[in-house]
Amino acid sequence: MPRRIWTALVVAALGATGLVLGWELDENGADGGVLASLSVLALAAAALLAASAAGEVPVRATGGLLFVAGVAVFVTHHHVWWWLPPSWETEVSVAAVAVALAGLGVLLLAYGVSLAGLSGALGVLALTCLALTLLPYLGSPDEAVLRTVGTALGAVACTAGVVATADPGRGGRRAAAPVAVGVLAAAAAGYAGYDSSSPYAPPGYQPAVI
């Protein structure tokens, strides 16, 4: 087994141990939020380190998953804290933002950047953010934030896809699949923004219109 896999397992074990200790601290009346947030960062780093041993596709996929997970936790934090210690809310929310930004950076920048790959990656993220709005426990403000993020990502995906197909040197025939995903995401995001502007939409949808 590669050394980085062993390192990732050790870091993941430390992260899991930190979460358990943070929980115990909270149960005993202390504040374990900082330890919990550091543990979350450790687990994210372990995931990326383990993926790096498998190549570009696993690394980019892991980055995308971390982005979606971070955004989902941050946006829905006031719904999910019923099963987490209350003292963790601020620290873990900040950690979730850091994980989301790191995941997005890895997805887009790892192993170089191409416009076709950018279009496909952002398209998948846009569709995922819009799909998260279908979760039953989300309130209107949560859905508005996710729709806003999805609309923005879809717009950039569409732009990158158009540029990639317009310049054969930057995309060519190989760009067709990711660009198609980007255009599909842009269409879905545009519909989400249009649907948000409906006068019958619940309060909180309006900010989704860009």
Side-chain angles (χ1 to χ4, degrees):
M1 185 178 294
R3 180 179 300 178
R4 68 180 62 183
I5 295 295
W6 284 110
T7 304
L9 290 175
V10 171
V11 174
L14 291 175
T17 302
L19 288 177
V20 173
L21 291 178
W23 189 285
E24 291 296 328
L25 287 174
D26 188 83
E27 290 292 322
N28 293 324
D31 187 355
V34 174
L35 180 59
S37 63
L38 293 176
S39 300
V40 169
L41 295 177
L43 290 173
L48 288 174
L49 186 60
S52 67
E56 178 180 356
V57 173
V59 168
R60 290 185 184 272
T62 302
L65 290 174
L66 290 178
F67 172 78
V68 172
V71 170
V73 170
F74 177 75
V75 170
T76 64
H77 67 86
H78 54 283
H79 287 299
V80 301
W81 293 119
W82 62 270
W83 61 273
L84 289 177
S87 63
W88 292 16
E89 180 172 355
T90 301
E91 291 85 352
V92 176
S93 294
V94 173
V97 173
V99 168
L101 293 177
L104 181 62
V106 168
L107 174 67
L108 300 181
L109 303 178
Y111 300 93
V113 179
S114 68
L115 290 177
L118 178 68
S119 177
L122 291 182
V124 171
L125 291 182
L127 293 175
T128 303
C129 289
L130 295 176
L132 289 175
T133 63
L134 301 177
L135 294 176
Y137 60 82
L138 291 180
S140 294
D142 296 331
E143 292 178 345
V145 173
L146 289 172
R147 282 170 177 256
T148 300
V149 173
T151 303
L153 292 176
V156 178
C158 183
T159 302
V162 170
V163 175
T165 54
D167 186 354
R170 295 190 177 187
R173 189 171 299 176
R174 292 180 300 176
V179 168
V181 175
V183 172
L184 176 63
Y191 174 76
Y194 172 78
D195 184 61
S196 300
S197 65
S198 170
Y200 302 103
Y205 274 28
Q206 306 305 323
V209 181
I210 296 181

